[in-house]
Amino acid sequence: MAWRSSGATNEALIENLARNGLIKQERVKKAMLGVDRAHYAPYAPYEDSPQTIGHRATISAPHMHAAACESLLPYLRPGAHVLDIGSGSGYLTHVLAELVKPGGKVVGVEHIQPLVEMGTGNTRKSAEGRDLMDNGGIRYVKADGRLGWPQDAPYDAIHVGAAAAGFHQALIDQLKAPGRLFMPVEEDHMQHIYVIDKKEDGTVTKTKDMGVRYVPLTDAPTD
C-alpha cells in the first residue's frame, strides 16, 4: 500500500500512511505530522518514494521512515539517546528527536561534510528544529558511520539508513542493554532489514525482516 500513500500535503501523506496501516502507533503519527518533509526532500516531498539528495545519497521513502520509528518505538522514550547513521537530509533525525523529547538526544552521523551541513540547514528551517538544535536535542557530526559515534554512547536505539556489508560490532557494542538496532544488511546481493536486540543481560538476537534496497554504507569517498 506504500505506493498509494502519497499526498498533496504533509498531513495528507501521514494520514494516508496511517490509513494504509504503515503507521500504527499514534506517537509515530504525531511525530511525523510535526516534521514537514518539504524541509528535507528536494522535490515532490509528499510522495511516498525515495529521492536523491545529491552526494550519492537518498532520502528514504516515508513508509520506510515510519517502519523504522514503529520498530524502535519501545526504546524511543523521553530522555532517550539515539544514533542515526546515514542521517542524510536530516528528516528522520528530526522525527526521532520529536519522539524522545523532552530531554532526549539524537546524533546524526554522515560521512561527508556537505551532508552534515545539509542536515543542519534543513533542521533549522523550522522553529521546532532550531529549538532542538539549540538545546542539544539534535546534533550532526561527520564520521565513519560503520564505527558509530562512541563519544555519546551508549544508545537506547540506533537507526542505520544505508545498507551495511555485515553486522558492525561497533554499533552493537554502543547499544544500551536493553536497546535496539534497526539496519539494512546486504547478504548474497540482496538486502533485508534486521532488527537487532540487546537484552538486559547483554545477549543479542538478530531478527530478519523485509527485503529493501538502500544505498551502501560507506566511509568518505576518496575520489
Side-chain angles (χ1 to χ4, degrees), residues 2 7 24 30-31 37 42 53-54 68-71 77 88 95 99 122-123 133 138 144-145 149 162 173 183 212:
K24 300 177 177 66
K30 180 180 178 182
R37 199 165 181 267
I53 57 173
C69 291
E70 291 275 342
S71 177
R77 299 176 292 270
V95 173
L99 286 163
N122 288 343
T123 303
M133 293 206 69
I138 296 175
D144 183 346
W149 184 252
D173 291 343
M183 67 184 299
V212 291

Side-chain angles (χ1 to χ4, degrees), residues 19-38:
R19 185 177 302 111
N20 291 331
L22 298 164
I23 295 176
K24 300 177 177 66
Q25 300 297 321
E26 187 63 30
R27 286 184 59 215
V28 173
K29 180 179 178 181
K30 180 180 178 182
M32 293 182 71
L33 282 170
V35 181
D36 191 342
R37 199 165 181 267

Side-chain angles (χ1 to χ4, degrees), residues 21 28 34 55 85 88 107 111 115 126 128 132-133 139 148-150 173 176 199 201-202 216:
V28 173
H55 308 285
I85 302 293
V107 179
H111 66 302
L115 289 174
S126 68
E128 295 84 359
L132 283 164
M133 293 206 69
R139 179 186 181 195
W149 184 252
D173 291 343
K176 285 185 182 178
K199 300 179 181 178
D201 63 2

